[in-house]
Amino acid sequence: MPELPEVETIRRSLEPHVAGRRILAAEFLCLRVLRGGDPDEMAARLAGRRVIALRRRGKFLLFELEGGLILLVHLGMTGKLLMGAEPGPHTHAIITLESGALLYDDSRQFGCLELHDSVPARVARLGPEPLEVGFEEFARGLRKRRTRLKALLLDQRFLRGLGNIYADEALFRARIHPFAVAARLGPERARRLYDAIVEVLGEAIAAGGSSISDYVDGNGRRGFFQTRHRVYQRTGEPCVVCGTPIRRTLVAQRGTHYCPRCQRR
DNA sequence: ATCGGTACCTGCACGC
DNA sequence: TGCGTGCAGGTACCGA
């Protein structure tokens, strides 16, 4: 489900409910999403602790807690954090704060909740934030990689936060074929790609993210950027620029949508 | 060291 | 109605 714009929307929607609030209790109902963490120990360490801040790094959310602890949350494909909702069959954690109950729901269980004493390696080794990186650093990163651009945009060590939707949408806006080799992009196309990424992420955040099937923010509100997708899941529909039917192919086993006319090899 | 392919899970849409 | 298939916003791990 959630890529950078969705996770940022969730962060903004939750921040007023959690920042500065104390955790009264925590309950963990699913071992899988804890990735080896001990549910009772996590609950004991969380209870009574105040949340200092809620930050985002790429697609990760970090609840920064008193005493330097970090509750790390990744939403995987179907993870949701919901304030004041009723628990359902896929509710795997209930964190009760002074301000109400925060639920973690995740039907596919690809997400995770972990408690760390410091920023874990998985987060530390992420690439730069796409809305903060400068063009020169972005272009240097491109030159080092001989892989296809679509695969590179999904690689969180290159940039953190892009996923399948925004990789396809950025490549379309930059008019670059998803199979193009990163290291062979000239400065002009590299610039177009950089600008397209910044533009599409900014518009998506402003729209509250893309609700394809079930994404909602922390207050249960849907985003509406899905109505502005130009290629993602528009296979066979006319390109908004030239009318050519949008094509679907596979890159690194991920569905990849592009206009064969606007995005030449 | 870098790549692509596979596995992990559930739910849904589709064709028969 | 029910069953099989393929697909879905994610990452980690494996072997080449």
Side-chain angles (χ1 to χ4, degrees), chain A residues 131-149:
Chain A
L131 293 177
E132 294 171 7
V133 68
F135 174 70
E136 289 310 322
E137 185 184 351
F138 174 82
R140 271 199 303 278
L142 281 179
R143 271 180 251 123
K144 282 191 282 194
R145 304 292 293 270
R146 312 210 56 75
T147 189
R148 292 176 289 188
L149 263 181

Side-chain angles (χ1 to χ4, degrees), chain A residues 2-175:
Chain A
E3 306 180 27
L4 188 154
E6 289 76 33
V7 179
E8 177 60 22
T9 302
I10 290 168
R11 191 197 68 76
R12 291 179 186 184
S13 68
L14 288 179
E15 191 172 39
H17 297 288
V18 305
R21 310 287 188 152
R22 196 173 294 282
I23 295 172
L24 303 177
E27 191 179 354
F28 299 100
L29 309 164
C30 170
L31 284 179
R32 162 171 288 280
V33 300
L34 301 185
R35 305 293 161 95
D38 179 281
D40 297 330
E41 187 194 327
M42 283 175 68
R45 295 184 79 194
L46 287 172
R49 224 175 271 267
R50 195 179 292 278
V51 180
I52 307 294
L54 179 57
R55 302 193 195 283
R56 179 187 59 75
R57 299 257 198 122
K59 302 174 193 171
F60 287 91
L61 282 170
L62 289 76
F63 291 77
E64 296 186 359
L65 309 174
E66 275 178 329
L69 283 191
I70 295 171
L71 177 64
L72 180 72
V73 179
H74 195 290
L75 299 168
M77 293 275 251
T78 50
K80 295 195 248 307
L81 282 168
L82 298 167
M83 203 64 215
E86 287 300 310
H90 301 296
T91 299
H92 304 316
I94 304 172
I95 296 170
T96 309
L97 295 126
E98 295 168 315
S99 49
L102 176 63
L103 303 187
Y104 178 71
D105 263 62
D106 186 357
S107 64
R108 291 179 74 180
Q109 303 173 30
F110 286 173
C112 59
L113 289 86
E114 304 168 3
L115 195 54
H116 294 277
D117 293 314
S118 58
V119 176
R122 277 228 314 296
V123 174
R125 65 167 174 251
L126 293 171
E129 200 59 49
L131 293 177
E132 294 171 7
V133 68
F135 174 70
E136 289 310 322
E137 185 184 351
F138 174 82
R140 271 199 303 278
L142 281 179
R143 271 180 251 123
K144 282 191 282 194
R145 304 292 293 270
R146 312 210 56 75
T147 189
R148 292 176 289 188
L149 263 181
K150 171 65 187 281
L152 184 63
L153 293 182
L154 294 177
D155 186 340
Q156 304 296 296
R157 293 167 304 181
F158 173 65
L159 282 182
R160 63 186 192 228
L162 286 180
N164 214 29
I165 297 175
Y166 300 105
D168 282 3
E169 293 296 320
L171 285 168
F172 173 79
R173 288 177 184 228
R175 306 193 302 280

